[in-house]
Amino acid sequence: MGEPRVVERFKKRTIWFHWIHTAAFLVLIVTGAILFIPGLGSAAAGGLTRLIHRIAVVFFVGLPVVYFVFNPRMSLHFIKETLTWGKDDLDWAKVAPLYYFGGDEEKMPPQGHVNTGQKMWQFVVLGTGILFLVTGFVMWFFKGSVAPGIFQWCVVVHDIAFILAFLMLLVHIYLGIIHPRMTESLRSMWDGKISKKYASSHYGKWYDEISASEK
Amino acid sequence: MQLNRRDFLKASAGVGGLVLLQPAVLAATNEFPNTSAPQSDIAMLVDASKCIGCWWCYAACKNYNKLPETIKPDPEQAPELSPDVWTTLHTTKRDGEWIFRKQACNHCTDAACVEVCPTGALSRNKLGFIQYDKDKCSGCGYCAEFCPFGVPQLDSNKLTGAAVMDKCTFCIERVTNDQQPACAEACPTGAIKFGRRSELLEEGKQRVAELNNISSKGYLYGENELGGLHVMYVLDDSPESYGLPAAPQVPPTSIVRNVFQWVGIGGLVAIVAGFGLNYIIAREAKITSELPGKEQMGRGKRNG
Ligand code: HEM
Ligand code: HEM
Ligand code: SF4
Ligand code: SF4
């Protein structure tokens, strides 16, 4: 601690986007789980939670669209980052279990703007986002007009996406808030900045790039 | 719930992947188990060979359930099930003559609608038929989408999705007060009989035997289908010619969804356990790295 936090990690609008989107996502999880997880279902009586699910969908889908329209280059960069996988990621994946469950940090390879684990989260967010969108769209607008078998599979795929996204979100929250080593993570999603020391130790390759371009 | 667990155990043998899962699930649902409906259950026996297409059951249902009345339908344009039509006739032309079959909820023993209903609005009455509580319904429409006969009806708002499900109630208020269902009471030819399922089963078999003396197509539909229906049909022709699927099954998707409900809960438990383990390890590592001589987080050490 005490380090001056001067390295810009996230832009203000990205931070706003992240937190409003999170709010919509949490509402979707709760109202979705009420339909899916046995025992919670009675909360759906009367259909209010289903209506809330749909209202949240408007934000969940609308926000990325708006963000994309106003920041096409940043958004495309994010998508490219999410889809670019290389040797560093393989190395990371090999030693990650040792680090997370063995406490061995020495072998962690230097990482770019986001590490492999974060990239996995980005991938899950994008991938399940598309699954949610396609299957949810069918369930919303084509209930009764599409063949029952297709509707049924949409429900199942929506459920699979739910399990993936929800469990990975828990990992995401855990690493962002609770994990003892991610000391500046949450604050970086608040004011957008991290210290040089944190940047170099967590995102070495990225830090080297930005310090080179500063000179 | 019984079905639930059995299928879950069979199906979870293949949790590894959907592809693996499918055959196991199909095996679990495709075979007709012997009737598992308890002896005490009540039922209806619909004898299609006795139905003359008078539509009295249809009218009686509307009247008793206070649904909007219509004129006597034409077999050419038989009304389909809808929120205002809980029982109707399926009509087909055979050798130039109309044949009819009363069509409504079949009150299955293995009832897909009950399996998928999130809120518990649909449930089994202790007399065997499938009852529902409109106040509990969320309007999700899963019951309609998973029912092998397409029975439950909802008039959903296209935008908000708001709806409430309706279907045949088995005249719950009547049958629990020593009366027969309105349709059975109205039928002038005895084509709809109400009583103990075990007795109607015997009667149905006898009728089928009689029919088989004439032609050989007699069949008692609902004896074993879906664990035994609580509306059984005496047919003198193939189920299809009366608009009934020959091999109805609880959709495998409903069992897959069931399995994933438990996969989700299992995953949650596993992940929380993982957090606990990781937290302990990471804190140890943090303390070690901050020991004198090690507190400089060198460039060689980069965590995730
Ligand atoms: C992307 C846009 C999405 C759309 C259009 C959408 C739409 C729907 C619809 C139409 C239903 C069926 C129930 C009903 O008719 O009200 C549903 C159910 C559900 N949704 Fe979504 N949804 C979306 C995103 C999400 C997200 C992000 C989550 C959770 C992370 C989620 C979780 C669920 C769950 C768990 C169910 C219940 C499925 C079941 O009962 O098996 N949805 N959604
Ligand atoms: C309570 C919920 C959440 C918390 C506490 C949280 C926290 C954070 C934090 C602290 C970061 C910065 C990570 C770093 O660079 O050190 C971050 C990044 C990010 N968050 Fe979240 N977040 C939450 C929910 C979500 C949701 C619902 C989504 C997507 C639907 C999401 C998507 C992302 C993405 C894509 C990043 C950038 C890549 C990454 O760092 O993994 N977050 N979040
Ligand atoms: S016929 Fe359909 S609605 Fe009726 S009990 Fe069977 S599955 Fe449920
Ligand atoms: S529409 Fe109503 S009765 Fe049918 S599954 Fe949904 S909550 Fe249950």
Side-chain angles (χ1 to χ4, degrees):
Chain A
M1 309 289 137
E3 296 277 327
R5 295 172 45 252
V6 292
V7 184
E8 186 188 54
R9 180 144 176 78
F10 300 111
K11 289 212 182 321
K12 269 273 169 311
R13 59 197 119 142
T14 311
I15 294 167
W16 276 100
F17 173 39
H18 177 265
W19 289 118
I20 301 175
H21 202 231
T22 297
F25 199 86
L26 293 178
V27 172
L28 285 167
I29 286 185
V30 172
T31 54
I34 283 171
L35 286 183
F36 178 47
I37 301 297
L40 306 181
S42 52
L48 183 62
T49 60
R50 288 183 51 237
L51 181 61
I52 297 173
H53 196 78
R54 285 166 197 227
I55 295 169
V57 163
V58 175
F59 289 90
F60 181 77
V61 178
L63 220 57
V65 171
V66 170
Y67 188 87
F68 190 94
V69 168
F70 287 101
N71 310 284
R73 284 190 46 212
M74 265 166 78
S75 311
L76 284 173
H77 181 261
F78 172 84
I79 293 170
K80 202 176 148 212
E81 180 179 60
T82 305
L83 299 178
T84 312
W85 296 74
K87 187 176 168 305
D88 285 346
D89 298 311
L90 202 65
D91 293 343
W92 184 92
K94 275 190 208 141
V95 296
L98 280 178
Y99 166 57
Y100 285 105
F101 297 107
D104 183 356
E105 199 182 337
E106 304 288 330
K107 298 197 191 70
M108 289 305 260
Q111 296 286 311
H113 175 247
V114 290
N115 66 38
T116 307
Q118 289 172 309
K119 220 153 63 182
M120 270 159 57
W121 170 231
Q122 295 185 178
F123 193 80
V124 168
V125 169
L126 264 183
T128 61
I130 291 166
L131 292 181
F132 280 128
L133 187 67
V134 172
T135 57
F137 190 76
V138 172
M139 293 196 292
W140 187 336
F141 295 106
F142 294 96
K143 191 182 285 174
S145 52
V146 75
I150 295 179
F151 183 93
Q152 293 165 15
W153 276 110
C154 284
V155 174
V156 170
V157 172
H158 212 76
D159 291 340
I160 295 170
F162 170 76
I163 293 171
L164 276 174
F166 175 55
L167 295 185
M168 281 298 283
L169 174 65
L170 291 182
V171 177
H172 179 67
I173 295 175
Y174 170 77
L175 289 174
I177 302 184
I178 302 173
H179 191 277
R181 298 306 297 271
M182 300 299 279
T183 45
E184 295 186 24
S185 179
L186 188 59
R187 282 167 72 197
S188 77
M189 218 2 127
W190 189 251
D191 62 10
K193 298 195 178 69
I194 53 175
S195 68
K196 283 187 175 171
K197 182 172 146 187
Y198 187 82
S200 87
S201 85
H202 284 254
Y203 307 102
K205 257 167 66 176
W206 174 63
Y207 182 70
D208 289 345
E209 277 164 32
I210 54 170
S211 25
S213 66
E214 259 171 25
K215 277 166 204 160
Chain B
M1 269 293 126
Q2 239 172 3
L3 164 90
N4 217 328
R5 180 146 314 163
R6 189 193 71 208
D7 288 331
F8 172 62
L9 288 177
K10 280 199 191 181
S12 55
V15 163
L18 272 180
V19 191
L20 279 173
L21 202 63
Q22 273 280 52
V25 167
L26 285 172
T29 51
N30 241 349
E31 82 228 20
F32 289 157
N34 280 331
T35 300
S36 45
Q39 287 289 313
S40 58
D41 280 8
I42 58 171
M44 283 192 263
L45 181 66
V46 174
D47 192 335
S49 68
K50 286 187 183 164
C51 178
I52 54 170
C54 68
W55 297 91
W56 283 17
C57 53
Y58 169 82
C61 177
K62 288 212 160 215
N63 186 32
Y64 174 69
N65 292 302
K66 302 193 175 59
L67 302 170
E69 307 256 351
T70 49
I71 51 163
K72 183 179 163 183
D74 181 339
E76 291 279 0
Q77 286 157 0
E80 298 195 348
L81 293 178
S82 79
D84 292 338
V85 178
W86 299 354
T87 189
T88 184
L89 295 181
H90 179 273
T91 60
T92 331
K93 238 178 185 159
R94 186 175 61 187
D95 307 331
E97 295 213 7
W98 288 107
I99 54 170
F100 307 93
R101 183 202 36 109
K102 181 182 167 322
Q103 180 192 2
C105 175
N106 293 323
H107 300 277
C108 319
T109 297
D110 293 343
C113 60
V114 175
E115 280 299 299
V116 296
C117 178
T119 64
L122 279 155
S123 61
R124 176 178 310 287
N125 185 281
K126 60 178 186 311
L127 292 172
F129 60 90
I130 303 301
Q131 59 191 4
Y132 66 101
D133 178 348
K134 281 180 101 139
D135 291 337
K136 284 194 192 162
C137 176
S138 77
C140 69
Y142 292 174
C143 50
E145 298 291 336
F146 285 78
C147 166
F149 305 99
V151 164
Q153 299 293 321
L154 305 94
D155 218 344
S156 306
N157 181 303
K158 278 274 166 279
L159 189 63
T160 64
V164 180
M165 188 279 291
D166 268 312
K167 73 169 188 73
C168 160
T169 63
F170 215 86
C171 288
I172 178 167
E173 296 296 340
R174 297 171 61 100
V175 298
T176 51
N177 286 295
D178 293 325
Q179 280 180 289
Q180 35 177 344
C183 55
E185 192 177 72
C187 179
T189 66
I192 309 171
K193 289 213 171 122
F194 167 75
R196 288 242 165 281
R197 188 172 185 279
S198 48
E199 287 160 21
L200 291 176
L201 198 58
E202 288 316 311
E203 194 176 332
K205 282 179 183 164
Q206 222 168 342
R207 269 297 290 160
V208 166
E210 284 167 33
L211 288 173
N212 277 341
N213 286 336
I214 313 165
S215 79
S216 59
K217 286 187 179 163
Y219 182 60
L220 182 60
Y221 189 93
E223 180 185 358
N224 293 322
E225 282 81 357
L226 295 166
L229 305 181
H230 291 77
V231 178
M232 296 176 288
Y233 300 89
V234 173
L235 305 178
D236 55 11
D237 210 331
S238 68
E240 285 95 339
S241 53
Y242 282 100
L244 287 164
Q249 54 167 350
V250 175
T253 42
S254 87
I255 295 139
V256 174
R257 176 167 175 268
N258 249 316
V259 171
F260 275 110
Q261 290 173 332
W262 294 104
V263 169
I265 292 170
L268 181 63
V269 172
I271 282 217
V272 170
F275 290 162
L277 183 61
N278 171 267
Y279 187 80
I280 296 165
I281 291 162
R283 205 184 40 186
E284 286 292 312
K286 183 178 159 83
I287 293 167
T288 322
S289 75
E290 279 165 8
L291 289 176
K294 277 208 168 185
E295 85 251 272
Q296 269 300 326
M297 295 262 300
R299 296 299 310 268
K301 305 183 205 162
R302 292 161 176 120
N303 68 3

